[in-house]
mmCIF file of all heavy atoms in Angstrom:
data_model
loop_
_atom_site.group_PDB
_atom_site.id
_atom_site.type_symbol
_atom_site.label_atom_id
_atom_site.label_comp_id
_atom_site.label_asym_id
_atom_site.label_seq_id
_atom_site.Cartn_x
_atom_site.Cartn_y
_atom_site.Cartn_z
ATOM 1 N N PHE A 271 82.796 84.303 73.691
ATOM 2 C CA PHE A 271 82.918 83.738 75.027
ATOM 3 C C PHE A 271 83.770 84.623 75.931
ATOM 4 O O PHE A 271 84.592 85.421 75.454
ATOM 5 C CB PHE A 271 83.557 82.343 74.959
ATOM 6 C CG PHE A 271 82.656 81.304 74.336
ATOM 7 C CD1 PHE A 271 82.792 80.973 72.996
ATOM 8 C CD2 PHE A 271 81.679 80.676 75.089
ATOM 9 C CE1 PHE A 271 81.955 80.017 72.420
ATOM 10 C CE2 PHE A 271 80.845 79.725 74.512
ATOM 11 C CZ PHE A 271 80.987 79.395 73.178
ATOM 12 N N ALA A 272 83.556 84.420 77.232
ATOM 13 C CA ALA A 272 84.365 85.036 78.297
ATOM 14 C C ALA A 272 84.366 86.569 78.156
ATOM 15 O O ALA A 272 83.302 87.155 77.968
ATOM 16 C CB ALA A 272 85.765 84.429 78.318
ATOM 17 N N ARG A 275 82.439 88.278 75.283
ATOM 18 C CA ARG A 275 80.995 88.364 75.464
ATOM 19 C C ARG A 275 80.636 89.486 76.431
ATOM 20 O O ARG A 275 79.698 90.254 76.195
ATOM 21 C CB ARG A 275 80.441 87.025 75.973
ATOM 22 C CG ARG A 275 78.926 87.016 76.105
ATOM 23 C CD ARG A 275 78.435 85.969 77.068
ATOM 24 N NE ARG A 275 79.147 86.107 78.314
ATOM 25 C CZ ARG A 275 79.793 85.115 78.907
ATOM 26 N NH1 ARG A 275 79.785 83.910 78.386
ATOM 27 N NH2 ARG A 275 80.446 85.319 80.037
ATOM 28 N N ASP A 276 81.396 89.583 77.522
ATOM 29 C CA ASP A 276 81.133 90.647 78.503
ATOM 30 C C ASP A 276 81.213 92.028 77.851
ATOM 31 O O ASP A 276 80.367 92.886 78.078
ATOM 32 C CB ASP A 276 82.154 90.592 79.645
ATOM 33 C CG ASP A 276 81.946 89.393 80.551
ATOM 34 O OD1 ASP A 276 80.918 88.711 80.417
ATOM 35 O OD2 ASP A 276 82.836 89.148 81.393
ATOM 36 N N PHE A 326 89.576 74.441 66.447
ATOM 37 C CA PHE A 326 90.489 75.582 66.512
ATOM 38 C C PHE A 326 90.977 75.916 65.110
ATOM 39 O O PHE A 326 91.260 75.022 64.303
ATOM 40 C CB PHE A 326 91.690 75.266 67.402
ATOM 41 C CG PHE A 326 91.348 75.245 68.866
ATOM 42 C CD1 PHE A 326 91.282 74.046 69.557
ATOM 43 C CD2 PHE A 326 91.095 76.427 69.552
ATOM 44 C CE1 PHE A 326 90.966 74.022 70.917
ATOM 45 C CE2 PHE A 326 90.777 76.407 70.909
ATOM 46 C CZ PHE A 326 90.712 75.202 71.590
ATOM 47 N N GLU A 338 79.863 78.063 61.765
ATOM 48 C CA GLU A 338 79.810 78.568 63.140
ATOM 49 C C GLU A 338 81.211 79.049 63.500
ATOM 50 O O GLU A 338 82.158 78.268 63.512
ATOM 51 C CB GLU A 338 79.368 77.459 64.098
ATOM 52 C CG GLU A 338 79.339 77.908 65.553
ATOM 53 C CD GLU A 338 78.798 76.822 66.485
ATOM 54 O OE1 GLU A 338 77.598 76.485 66.366
ATOM 55 O OE2 GLU A 338 79.567 76.298 67.312
ATOM 56 N N PHE A 342 87.145 83.793 71.183
ATOM 57 C CA PHE A 342 87.314 83.672 72.635
ATOM 58 C C PHE A 342 88.769 83.936 73.011
ATOM 59 O O PHE A 342 89.657 83.909 72.158
ATOM 60 C CB PHE A 342 86.865 82.289 73.117
ATOM 61 C CG PHE A 342 87.309 81.128 72.261
ATOM 62 C CD1 PHE A 342 88.605 80.646 72.331
ATOM 63 C CD2 PHE A 342 86.412 80.501 71.391
ATOM 64 C CE1 PHE A 342 89.009 79.558 71.563
ATOM 65 C CE2 PHE A 342 86.808 79.417 70.608
ATOM 66 C CZ PHE A 342 88.115 78.940 70.698
ATOM 67 N N PRO A 343 89.017 84.159 74.314
ATOM 68 C CA PRO A 343 90.397 84.319 74.762
ATOM 69 C C PRO A 343 91.080 82.959 74.850
ATOM 70 O O PRO A 343 90.393 81.925 74.796
ATOM 71 C CB PRO A 343 90.260 84.930 76.156
ATOM 72 C CG PRO A 343 88.832 84.874 76.517
ATOM 73 C CD PRO A 343 88.045 84.323 75.395
ATOM 74 N N VAL A 345 92.336 79.636 76.390
ATOM 75 C CA VAL A 345 91.533 78.900 77.371
ATOM 76 C C VAL A 345 92.293 78.738 78.689
ATOM 77 O O VAL A 345 93.519 78.746 78.724
ATOM 78 C CB VAL A 345 91.068 77.547 76.814
ATOM 79 C CG1 VAL A 345 90.348 77.755 75.499
ATOM 80 C CG2 VAL A 345 92.236 76.592 76.638
ATOM 81 N N THR A 346 91.547 78.574 79.767
ATOM 82 C CA THR A 346 92.128 78.444 81.104
ATOM 83 C C THR A 346 91.372 77.398 81.919
ATOM 84 O O THR A 346 90.873 77.665 83.002
ATOM 85 C CB THR A 346 92.088 79.791 81.851
ATOM 86 O OG1 THR A 346 90.738 80.285 81.846
ATOM 87 C CG2 THR A 346 92.995 80.823 81.220
ATOM 88 N N GLY A 348 90.912 73.291 83.537
ATOM 89 C CA GLY A 348 91.683 72.420 84.414
ATOM 90 C C GLY A 348 91.569 72.789 85.882
ATOM 91 O O GLY A 348 90.908 73.722 86.247
ATOM 92 N N GLU B 346 83.155 78.727 82.583
ATOM 93 C CA GLU B 346 82.340 78.782 81.373
ATOM 94 C C GLU B 346 82.944 77.825 80.344
ATOM 95 O O GLU B 346 84.161 77.585 80.358
ATOM 96 C CB GLU B 346 82.396 80.218 80.849
ATOM 97 C CG GLU B 346 81.664 80.426 79.558
ATOM 98 C CD GLU B 346 81.767 81.883 79.091
ATOM 99 O OE1 GLU B 346 82.035 82.773 79.907
ATOM 100 O OE2 GLU B 346 81.571 82.096 77.889
ATOM 101 N N TYR B 348 82.392 75.959 76.067
ATOM 102 C CA TYR B 348 81.806 76.050 74.725
ATOM 103 C C TYR B 348 81.117 74.705 74.463
ATOM 104 O O TYR B 348 81.775 73.763 74.031
ATOM 105 C CB TYR B 348 82.925 76.321 73.726
ATOM 106 C CG TYR B 348 82.561 76.501 72.268
ATOM 107 C CD1 TYR B 348 83.527 76.909 71.365
ATOM 108 C CD2 TYR B 348 81.282 76.268 71.769
ATOM 109 C CE1 TYR B 348 83.240 77.088 70.021
ATOM 110 C CE2 TYR B 348 80.983 76.443 70.436
ATOM 111 C CZ TYR B 348 81.968 76.849 69.560
ATOM 112 O OH TYR B 348 81.678 77.013 68.224
ATOM 113 N N MET B 351 81.924 71.830 71.485
ATOM 114 C CA MET B 351 83.353 71.823 71.200
ATOM 115 C C MET B 351 84.147 71.328 72.403
ATOM 116 O O MET B 351 85.147 70.616 72.247
ATOM 117 C CB MET B 351 83.820 73.222 70.803
ATOM 118 C CG MET B 351 85.302 73.242 70.434
ATOM 119 S SD MET B 351 85.854 74.840 69.827
ATOM 120 C CE MET B 351 87.613 74.550 69.724
ATOM 121 N N HIS B 376 84.742 67.532 84.021
ATOM 122 C CA HIS B 376 85.092 68.933 84.292
ATOM 123 C C HIS B 376 83.812 69.645 84.701
ATOM 124 O O HIS B 376 82.795 69.542 84.031
ATOM 125 C CB HIS B 376 85.687 69.587 83.048
ATOM 126 C CG HIS B 376 86.592 70.750 83.345
ATOM 127 N ND1 HIS B 376 86.195 71.848 84.066
ATOM 128 C CD2 HIS B 376 87.893 70.970 83.031
ATOM 129 C CE1 HIS B 376 87.211 72.703 84.169
ATOM 130 N NE2 HIS B 376 88.251 72.188 83.554
ATOM 131 N N THR B 413 95.047 73.849 78.574
ATOM 132 C CA THR B 413 95.434 74.755 77.497
ATOM 133 C C THR B 413 94.637 74.589 76.209
ATOM 134 O O THR B 413 94.719 75.449 75.332
ATOM 135 C CB THR B 413 96.927 74.554 77.154
ATOM 136 O OG1 THR B 413 97.137 73.157 76.928
ATOM 137 C CG2 THR B 413 97.824 75.017 78.271
ATOM 138 N N SER B 414 93.886 73.487 76.087
ATOM 139 C CA SER B 414 93.266 73.205 74.791
ATOM 140 C C SER B 414 91.785 72.852 74.837
ATOM 141 O O SER B 414 91.166 72.727 73.781
ATOM 142 C CB SER B 414 94.017 72.069 74.091
ATOM 143 O OG SER B 414 95.366 72.414 73.952
ATOM 144 N N PHE B 417 87.518 75.988 78.078
ATOM 145 C CA PHE B 417 86.958 76.429 79.361
ATOM 146 C C PHE B 417 87.611 77.764 79.695
ATOM 147 O O PHE B 417 88.780 77.979 79.391
ATOM 148 C CB PHE B 417 87.335 75.456 80.487
ATOM 149 C CG PHE B 417 86.677 74.116 80.420
ATOM 150 C CD1 PHE B 417 87.352 73.036 79.869
ATOM 151 C CD2 PHE B 417 85.411 73.915 80.934
ATOM 152 C CE1 PHE B 417 86.767 71.785 79.814
ATOM 153 C CE2 PHE B 417 84.819 72.664 80.883
ATOM 154 C CZ PHE B 417 85.493 71.596 80.325
ATOM 155 N N TRP B 418 86.850 78.606 80.360
ATOM 156 C CA TRP B 418 87.399 79.883 80.840
ATOM 157 C C TRP B 418 86.977 80.077 82.285
ATOM 158 O O TRP B 418 85.833 79.785 82.655
ATOM 159 C CB TRP B 418 86.885 81.048 79.986
ATOM 160 C CG TRP B 418 87.266 80.894 78.561
ATOM 161 C CD1 TRP B 418 88.459 81.262 77.999
ATOM 162 C CD2 TRP B 418 86.498 80.287 77.516
ATOM 163 N NE1 TRP B 418 88.458 80.919 76.668
ATOM 164 C CE2 TRP B 418 87.278 80.320 76.347
ATOM 165 C CE3 TRP B 418 85.231 79.700 77.460
ATOM 166 C CZ2 TRP B 418 86.830 79.807 75.136
ATOM 167 C CZ3 TRP B 418 84.782 79.188 76.252
ATOM 168 C CH2 TRP B 418 85.578 79.249 75.109
ATOM 169 N N LYS B 419 87.922 80.610 83.074
ATOM 170 C CA LYS B 419 87.675 80.818 84.500
ATOM 171 C C LYS B 419 87.606 82.312 84.797
ATOM 172 O O LYS B 419 88.481 83.070 84.366
ATOM 173 C CB LYS B 419 88.835 80.257 85.325
ATOM 174 C CG LYS B 419 88.963 78.761 85.337
ATOM 175 C CD LYS B 419 90.255 78.404 86.085
ATOM 176 C CE LYS B 419 90.452 76.908 86.167
ATOM 177 N NZ LYS B 419 91.888 76.563 86.315
ATOM 178 N N ARG B 420 86.589 82.668 85.571
ATOM 179 C CA ARG B 420 86.535 84.042 86.073
ATOM 180 C C ARG B 420 86.659 83.999 87.594
ATOM 181 O O ARG B 420 85.917 83.262 88.249
ATOM 182 C CB ARG B 420 85.222 84.720 85.673
ATOM 183 C CG ARG B 420 85.159 86.148 86.212
ATOM 184 C CD ARG B 420 84.182 87.036 85.504
ATOM 185 N NE ARG B 420 82.869 86.414 85.354
ATOM 186 C CZ ARG B 420 81.912 86.958 84.622
ATOM 187 N NH1 ARG B 420 82.122 88.081 83.989
ATOM 188 N NH2 ARG B 420 80.747 86.355 84.533
ATOM 189 N N TRP B 430 88.765 87.778 84.608
ATOM 190 C CA TRP B 430 89.027 86.539 83.872
ATOM 191 C C TRP B 430 90.471 86.113 84.100
ATOM 192 O O TRP B 430 91.376 86.944 84.092
ATOM 193 C CB TRP B 430 88.760 86.744 82.379
ATOM 194 C CG TRP B 430 87.307 86.920 82.096
ATOM 195 C CD1 TRP B 430 86.646 88.099 81.923
ATOM 196 C CD2 TRP B 430 86.324 85.893 81.985
ATOM 197 N NE1 TRP B 430 85.308 87.868 81.710
ATOM 198 C CE2 TRP B 430 85.091 86.525 81.745
ATOM 199 C CE3 TRP B 430 86.372 84.498 82.071
ATOM 200 C CZ2 TRP B 430 83.905 85.792 81.589
ATOM 201 C CZ3 TRP B 430 85.196 83.779 81.918
ATOM 202 C CH2 TRP B 430 83.985 84.416 81.681
#
Side-chain angles (χ1 to χ4, degrees):
Chain A
F271 290 97
R275 183 202 51 233
D276 289 350
F326 287 107
E338 178 176 294
F342 43 78
V345 306
T346 54
Chain B
E346 177 180 339
Y348 182 172
M351 183 175 173
H376 205 303
T413 52
S414 303
F417 290 98
W418 300 276
K419 291 174 179 155
R420 179 160 49 188
W430 291 98

